[in-house]
Amino acid sequence: MSGFDLRKQAPNAAVWLILLSMPLWIDAVGGYTQLGTQVVVMGLAAMSLNFLLGYTGVLSFGHAAYFGLGAYGVGMTIRYLVPSTGLGLLVGTGVGALAAAIIGPMIVRLRGVYFAMVTIAFAQVFYFIAFRWNSVTGGDDGLTNWTREPINFGFATLHIEKDPVTFYYFVLAIFAVAVALMALLLQSPFGRTLIAIRENERRTRFLGINVNFHIWMSWVISCTFMALSGSLYALLNNFVDPRTLYWTQSGVFVIMCVLGGMRSFWGPLVGAAIYVVLQDYLSSATPNWMSFIGLVFVVAVLFFPRGVLGIFRRKSTE
Amino acid sequence: MSFLKIENVTKHFGSLVAVDGVSMSVEKGECRAVIGPNGAGKTTFFNLITGMLDLTKGRVLLEDHDLAGIKPSARVRMGMARTFQITEIFPDLTVRENIQIPVEIAAGLHLAPRVPKARRAELRARIDQLMEEGGLTRIAGRYAGELSHGDQRACEIMMALALNPRLLLLDEPTAGMGDDETHAIARLIRRIHREQNLTIVLIEHDMRVVFNLADKITVLAEGRPLAEGTPSEITANAKVQAAYLGGSA
């Protein structure tokens, strides 16, 4: 119950070791730093979705909406309002959180496929707004003519705009805070109530829990971190286009969770790493890269029904 | 004032009348059994009390407080805990976690981002105590879904008790169990009833269990109240014998 448990901490140590040392070896294995940054950003997105999907048992097929809102939030802030990366991140995350908080009450009564369908519908609304509103969002061409700005702390300035390694560690620091917050929440009594809803909604209701309210909370938390990752994604590319809001992007996040393992905390990060690296590698080799990813997905689901990290399911003890 | 008062409760499903004008008064500390042949409307009756179904007619009062319009989860918070005919537990969590969750809810921590340090020892002791009482200590680390039917049922009853209920509703607590398991569950219920003076309403098929546990029995048949009385009164009742044994009334 207490103290340092090596067997429990070993996976965490391994993940942080790999992430912290990434810029040192990624070139040697045929990658590049921006690819590592993309893995971290997409990993955060998948882990955010998994807060709802894996730990509350609610399938959203529209999380790209909040990813995209975060992305447009930061891009439009820097382009139209203030050239400040920090403020942009706050606006992007805040806009996503606000949209989720408002949409939440309309959908938390729904379950299963119905919930998934309505989340897609809301996401498509945002997609079409971004797609059509040319004068503000840049429409199909995306939002350009802005870049991430250096961050001035007063005593020092962080030049994330030039050096990819600096930007990688900037993203990793935000990732660390977000992931630590999610881990804390999941290990709290509140988190256990969410897991209880996943396990048996009727039992949880008859333990006196207002299930819809708890699902709303989980939804807002999940979408807030999703918006944060979307903001980081926009900063990584210095660009946003409507495809970040499109429903297939939502599907990609679900694929990452399933691929890596929804019942495992780090699973979605592993799923994101597999997806991002495969996409990078395959898309330069063939225009039909999507069908190869589909094949990998099918094989993974057949052989690892609980995801790649699902093979490390904790054993029950006597 | 009765602790739980049910007045003329009626439920229609379309043209089917599942429960038809049932009234019942349960005193504080009483163990009441509701019995009746299959299809008598017992579970529907339970679902009306707990708010899972809306009443067509009638009233349900807990300590003279009308429960109309109060959601099931709010009724639980008022002190009304229940178990189900088909055991409802958290299969992929350990037995300990199954007990821990309601203990934390009862402590008002279900929205808390952490357990306050000052309360950790208290909550741990409470979990240990509940597992001990339910005979679950030896299987604390097992997944609840892997347990025998009897152990799962004991787990579910202890989860309900973890909420510190004032009224415990048990829907067929020994359904589908062998003699040994039935005996163990009946013993557990009797102990809870006696030691904590808890008010219990239970639906039961096994007549040995009913006559062993219940202070009073309500008999339902085809959704209507057939008889009410002490176990010996019910045994002597000709109408009940007819309903159960098919004899002439």
PDB file of all heavy atoms in Angstrom, chain A residues 1 18 22 32 74 78 85 98 134 162 166 182 190 199 206 226 276 298 313:
ATOM      1  N   MET A   1       0.822  -1.203   0.000  1.00  0.00           N
ATOM      2  CA  MET A   1       0.000   0.000   0.000  1.00  0.00           C
ATOM      3  C   MET A   1       0.863   1.262   0.000  1.00  0.00           C
ATOM      4  O   MET A   1       0.501   2.259  -0.581  1.00  0.00           O
ATOM      5  CB  MET A   1      -0.923   0.022   1.224  1.00  0.00           C
ATOM      6  CG  MET A   1      -1.951  -1.088   1.239  1.00  0.00           C
ATOM      7  SD  MET A   1      -3.163  -0.974  -0.074  1.00  0.00           S
ATOM      8  CE  MET A   1      -4.192   0.364   0.517  1.00  0.00           C
ATOM      9  N   ILE A  18      12.986   6.882 -21.723  1.00  0.00           N
ATOM     10  CA  ILE A  18      12.912   6.925 -23.194  1.00  0.00           C
ATOM     11  C   ILE A  18      12.553   8.329 -23.661  1.00  0.00           C
ATOM     12  O   ILE A  18      13.187   8.881 -24.569  1.00  0.00           O
ATOM     13  CB  ILE A  18      11.873   5.901 -23.705  1.00  0.00           C
ATOM     14  CG1 ILE A  18      12.369   4.473 -23.467  1.00  0.00           C
ATOM     15  CG2 ILE A  18      11.577   6.118 -25.185  1.00  0.00           C
ATOM     16  CD1 ILE A  18      11.319   3.398 -23.690  1.00  0.00           C
ATOM     17  N   MET A  22      15.110  10.953 -25.747  1.00  0.00           N
ATOM     18  CA  MET A  22      14.735  10.828 -27.166  1.00  0.00           C
ATOM     19  C   MET A  22      15.621  11.637 -28.129  1.00  0.00           C
ATOM     20  O   MET A  22      16.124  11.087 -29.119  1.00  0.00           O
ATOM     21  CB  MET A  22      13.265  11.204 -27.343  1.00  0.00           C
ATOM     22  CG  MET A  22      12.782  11.123 -28.766  1.00  0.00           C
ATOM     23  SD  MET A  22      11.563   9.847 -29.042  1.00  0.00           S
ATOM     24  CE  MET A  22      10.125  10.446 -28.239  1.00  0.00           C
ATOM     25  N   TYR A  32      13.739  11.785 -36.522  1.00  0.00           N
ATOM     26  CA  TYR A  32      14.164  13.173 -36.358  1.00  0.00           C
ATOM     27  C   TYR A  32      13.381  13.761 -35.198  1.00  0.00           C
ATOM     28  O   TYR A  32      12.325  13.227 -34.817  1.00  0.00           O
ATOM     29  CB  TYR A  32      13.964  13.973 -37.648  1.00  0.00           C
ATOM     30  CG  TYR A  32      12.618  13.791 -38.271  1.00  0.00           C
ATOM     31  CD1 TYR A  32      11.609  14.742 -38.102  1.00  0.00           C
ATOM     32  CD2 TYR A  32      12.328  12.647 -39.014  1.00  0.00           C
ATOM     33  CE1 TYR A  32      10.365  14.571 -38.658  1.00  0.00           C
ATOM     34  CE2 TYR A  32      11.070  12.460 -39.581  1.00  0.00           C
ATOM     35  CZ  TYR A  32      10.097  13.427 -39.399  1.00  0.00           C
ATOM     36  OH  TYR A  32       8.855  13.247 -39.942  1.00  0.00           O
ATOM     37  N   VAL A  74      -4.994  28.444 -30.411  1.00  0.00           N
ATOM     38  CA  VAL A  74      -3.637  28.978 -30.296  1.00  0.00           C
ATOM     39  C   VAL A  74      -3.240  29.722 -31.576  1.00  0.00           C
ATOM     40  O   VAL A  74      -2.667  30.813 -31.526  1.00  0.00           O
ATOM     41  CB  VAL A  74      -2.621  27.862 -29.922  1.00  0.00           C
ATOM     42  CG1 VAL A  74      -2.347  26.936 -31.079  1.00  0.00           C
ATOM     43  CG2 VAL A  74      -1.327  28.451 -29.409  1.00  0.00           C
ATOM     44  N   ILE A  78      -2.431  33.863 -31.735  1.00  0.00           N
ATOM     45  CA  ILE A  78      -1.130  34.407 -32.141  1.00  0.00           C
ATOM     46  C   ILE A  78      -1.266  35.253 -33.406  1.00  0.00           C
ATOM     47  O   ILE A  78      -0.697  36.334 -33.529  1.00  0.00           O
ATOM     48  CB  ILE A  78      -0.104  33.265 -32.336  1.00  0.00           C
ATOM     49  CG1 ILE A  78       0.194  32.618 -30.985  1.00  0.00           C
ATOM     50  CG2 ILE A  78       1.169  33.797 -33.000  1.00  0.00           C
ATOM     51  CD1 ILE A  78       1.122  31.429 -31.040  1.00  0.00           C
ATOM     52  N   THR A  85       2.960  32.767 -27.213  1.00  0.00           N
ATOM     53  CA  THR A  85       2.730  31.322 -27.204  1.00  0.00           C
ATOM     54  C   THR A  85       1.976  30.910 -25.944  1.00  0.00           C
ATOM     55  O   THR A  85       1.037  30.112 -26.002  1.00  0.00           O
ATOM     56  CB  THR A  85       4.071  30.571 -27.276  1.00  0.00           C
ATOM     57  OG1 THR A  85       4.754  30.988 -28.452  1.00  0.00           O
ATOM     58  CG2 THR A  85       3.859  29.073 -27.307  1.00  0.00           C
ATOM     59  N   LEU A  98     -14.229  24.950 -22.597  1.00  0.00           N
ATOM     60  CA  LEU A  98     -15.529  25.632 -22.551  1.00  0.00           C
ATOM     61  C   LEU A  98     -16.534  24.943 -23.474  1.00  0.00           C
ATOM     62  O   LEU A  98     -17.677  24.682 -23.079  1.00  0.00           O
ATOM     63  CB  LEU A  98     -15.340  27.100 -22.959  1.00  0.00           C
ATOM     64  CG  LEU A  98     -16.530  28.007 -22.731  1.00  0.00           C
ATOM     65  CD1 LEU A  98     -16.785  28.172 -21.240  1.00  0.00           C
ATOM     66  CD2 LEU A  98     -16.304  29.373 -23.389  1.00  0.00           C
ATOM     67  N   ASN A 134     -13.751  31.071 -44.579  1.00  0.00           N
ATOM     68  CA  ASN A 134     -12.453  31.353 -45.199  1.00  0.00           C
ATOM     69  C   ASN A 134     -11.734  32.565 -44.627  1.00  0.00           C
ATOM     70  O   ASN A 134     -10.539  32.509 -44.353  1.00  0.00           O
ATOM     71  CB  ASN A 134     -12.651  31.588 -46.701  1.00  0.00           C
ATOM     72  CG  ASN A 134     -12.632  30.263 -47.440  1.00  0.00           C
ATOM     73  OD1 ASN A 134     -11.698  29.482 -47.274  1.00  0.00           O
ATOM     74  ND2 ASN A 134     -13.662  30.007 -48.224  1.00  0.00           N
ATOM     75  N   LYS A 162      13.061  28.271 -32.766  1.00  0.00           N
ATOM     76  CA  LYS A 162      14.118  27.845 -33.699  1.00  0.00           C
ATOM     77  C   LYS A 162      14.552  26.407 -33.474  1.00  0.00           C
ATOM     78  O   LYS A 162      14.390  25.547 -34.320  1.00  0.00           O
ATOM     79  CB  LYS A 162      15.340  28.773 -33.544  1.00  0.00           C
ATOM     80  CG  LYS A 162      15.099  30.151 -34.110  1.00  0.00           C
ATOM     81  CD  LYS A 162      16.394  30.964 -34.062  1.00  0.00           C
ATOM     82  CE  LYS A 162      16.098  32.419 -33.714  1.00  0.00           C
ATOM     83  NZ  LYS A 162      16.880  32.898 -32.581  1.00  0.00           N
ATOM     84  N   THR A 166      14.857  22.239 -28.183  1.00  0.00           N
ATOM     85  CA  THR A 166      14.267  23.085 -27.139  1.00  0.00           C
ATOM     86  C   THR A 166      12.747  22.942 -27.139  1.00  0.00           C
ATOM     87  O   THR A 166      12.117  22.794 -26.100  1.00  0.00           O
ATOM     88  CB  THR A 166      14.639  24.561 -27.372  1.00  0.00           C
ATOM     89  OG1 THR A 166      16.043  24.635 -27.550  1.00  0.00           O
ATOM     90  CG2 THR A 166      14.215  25.427 -26.202  1.00  0.00           C
ATOM     91  N   MET A 182      -3.428  13.769 -14.720  1.00  0.00           N
ATOM     92  CA  MET A 182      -4.370  12.688 -15.048  1.00  0.00           C
ATOM     93  C   MET A 182      -4.132  11.487 -14.141  1.00  0.00           C
ATOM     94  O   MET A 182      -5.080  10.862 -13.658  1.00  0.00           O
ATOM     95  CB  MET A 182      -4.227  12.291 -16.522  1.00  0.00           C
ATOM     96  CG  MET A 182      -4.962  13.219 -17.456  1.00  0.00           C
ATOM     97  SD  MET A 182      -5.175  12.513 -19.112  1.00  0.00           S
ATOM     98  CE  MET A 182      -3.724  13.122 -19.919  1.00  0.00           C
ATOM     99  N   PHE A 190     -12.179  10.104  -6.687  1.00  0.00           N
ATOM    100  CA  PHE A 190     -12.949  10.523  -7.857  1.00  0.00           C
ATOM    101  C   PHE A 190     -12.660   9.594  -9.048  1.00  0.00           C
ATOM    102  O   PHE A 190     -13.580   9.130  -9.727  1.00  0.00           O
ATOM    103  CB  PHE A 190     -12.611  11.975  -8.224  1.00  0.00           C
ATOM    104  CG  PHE A 190     -13.139  12.410  -9.558  1.00  0.00           C
ATOM    105  CD1 PHE A 190     -14.501  12.534  -9.773  1.00  0.00           C
ATOM    106  CD2 PHE A 190     -12.275  12.688 -10.608  1.00  0.00           C
ATOM    107  CE1 PHE A 190     -14.991  12.926 -11.010  1.00  0.00           C
ATOM    108  CE2 PHE A 190     -12.758  13.089 -11.843  1.00  0.00           C
ATOM    109  CZ  PHE A 190     -14.119  13.206 -12.044  1.00  0.00           C
ATOM    110  N   GLU A 199     -17.006  -0.106 -14.948  1.00  0.00           N
ATOM    111  CA  GLU A 199     -17.183  -1.502 -14.570  1.00  0.00           C
ATOM    112  C   GLU A 199     -18.654  -1.891 -14.500  1.00  0.00           C
ATOM    113  O   GLU A 199     -19.019  -2.980 -14.920  1.00  0.00           O
ATOM    114  CB  GLU A 199     -16.536  -1.744 -13.203  1.00  0.00           C
ATOM    115  CG  GLU A 199     -15.030  -1.801 -13.252  1.00  0.00           C
ATOM    116  CD  GLU A 199     -14.558  -3.068 -13.936  1.00  0.00           C
ATOM    117  OE1 GLU A 199     -14.913  -4.150 -13.467  1.00  0.00           O
ATOM    118  OE2 GLU A 199     -13.853  -2.960 -14.944  1.00  0.00           O
ATOM    119  N   PHE A 206     -26.479   2.767  -7.900  1.00  0.00           N
ATOM    120  CA  PHE A 206     -27.063   2.310  -6.648  1.00  0.00           C
ATOM    121  C   PHE A 206     -26.052   2.299  -5.498  1.00  0.00           C
ATOM    122  O   PHE A 206     -26.292   1.698  -4.466  1.00  0.00           O
ATOM    123  CB  PHE A 206     -27.757   0.957  -6.840  1.00  0.00           C
ATOM    124  CG  PHE A 206     -29.116   1.142  -7.435  1.00  0.00           C
ATOM    125  CD1 PHE A 206     -29.299   1.109  -8.814  1.00  0.00           C
ATOM    126  CD2 PHE A 206     -30.200   1.438  -6.632  1.00  0.00           C
ATOM    127  CE1 PHE A 206     -30.545   1.341  -9.369  1.00  0.00           C
ATOM    128  CE2 PHE A 206     -31.444   1.665  -7.184  1.00  0.00           C
ATOM    129  CZ  PHE A 206     -31.626   1.614  -8.549  1.00  0.00           C
ATOM    130  N   MET A 226      -7.288  17.241 -24.245  1.00  0.00           N
ATOM    131  CA  MET A 226      -7.300  17.077 -25.701  1.00  0.00           C
ATOM    132  C   MET A 226      -7.015  18.429 -26.369  1.00  0.00           C
ATOM    133  O   MET A 226      -6.215  18.509 -27.305  1.00  0.00           O
ATOM    134  CB  MET A 226      -8.691  16.587 -26.109  1.00  0.00           C
ATOM    135  CG  MET A 226      -8.735  15.910 -27.425  1.00  0.00           C
ATOM    136  SD  MET A 226      -7.964  14.297 -27.285  1.00  0.00           S
ATOM    137  CE  MET A 226      -7.780  13.903 -28.982  1.00  0.00           C
ATOM    138  N   VAL A 276       2.196   6.980 -35.223  1.00  0.00           N
ATOM    139  CA  VAL A 276       2.915   8.132 -35.787  1.00  0.00           C
ATOM    140  C   VAL A 276       4.155   7.679 -36.559  1.00  0.00           C
ATOM    141  O   VAL A 276       4.430   8.148 -37.664  1.00  0.00           O
ATOM    142  CB  VAL A 276       3.285   9.133 -34.670  1.00  0.00           C
ATOM    143  CG1 VAL A 276       4.269  10.175 -35.173  1.00  0.00           C
ATOM    144  CG2 VAL A 276       2.033   9.801 -34.119  1.00  0.00           C
ATOM    145  N   VAL A 298      -5.697  -4.431 -37.567  1.00  0.00           N
ATOM    146  CA  VAL A 298      -6.459  -5.686 -37.529  1.00  0.00           C
ATOM    147  C   VAL A 298      -5.642  -6.772 -36.829  1.00  0.00           C
ATOM    148  O   VAL A 298      -6.139  -7.488 -35.945  1.00  0.00           O
ATOM    149  CB  VAL A 298      -6.846  -6.122 -38.964  1.00  0.00           C
ATOM    150  CG1 VAL A 298      -7.389  -7.553 -38.960  1.00  0.00           C
ATOM    151  CG2 VAL A 298      -7.879  -5.180 -39.540  1.00  0.00           C
ATOM    152  N   ARG A 313      -1.311  -7.406 -18.087  1.00  0.00           N
ATOM    153  CA  ARG A 313      -2.439  -7.258 -17.175  1.00  0.00           C
ATOM    154  C   ARG A 313      -2.028  -7.704 -15.775  1.00  0.00           C
ATOM    155  O   ARG A 313      -1.401  -8.737 -15.599  1.00  0.00           O
ATOM    156  CB  ARG A 313      -3.598  -8.121 -17.657  1.00  0.00           C
ATOM    157  CG  ARG A 313      -4.860  -7.871 -16.872  1.00  0.00           C
ATOM    158  CD  ARG A 313      -5.997  -8.750 -17.379  1.00  0.00           C
ATOM    159  NE  ARG A 313      -7.203  -8.406 -16.646  1.00  0.00           N
ATOM    160  CZ  ARG A 313      -8.006  -9.304 -16.111  1.00  0.00           C
ATOM    161  NH1 ARG A 313      -7.729 -10.581 -16.188  1.00  0.00           N
ATOM    162  NH2 ARG A 313      -9.087  -8.929 -15.467  1.00  0.00           N
TER     163      ARG A 313
END
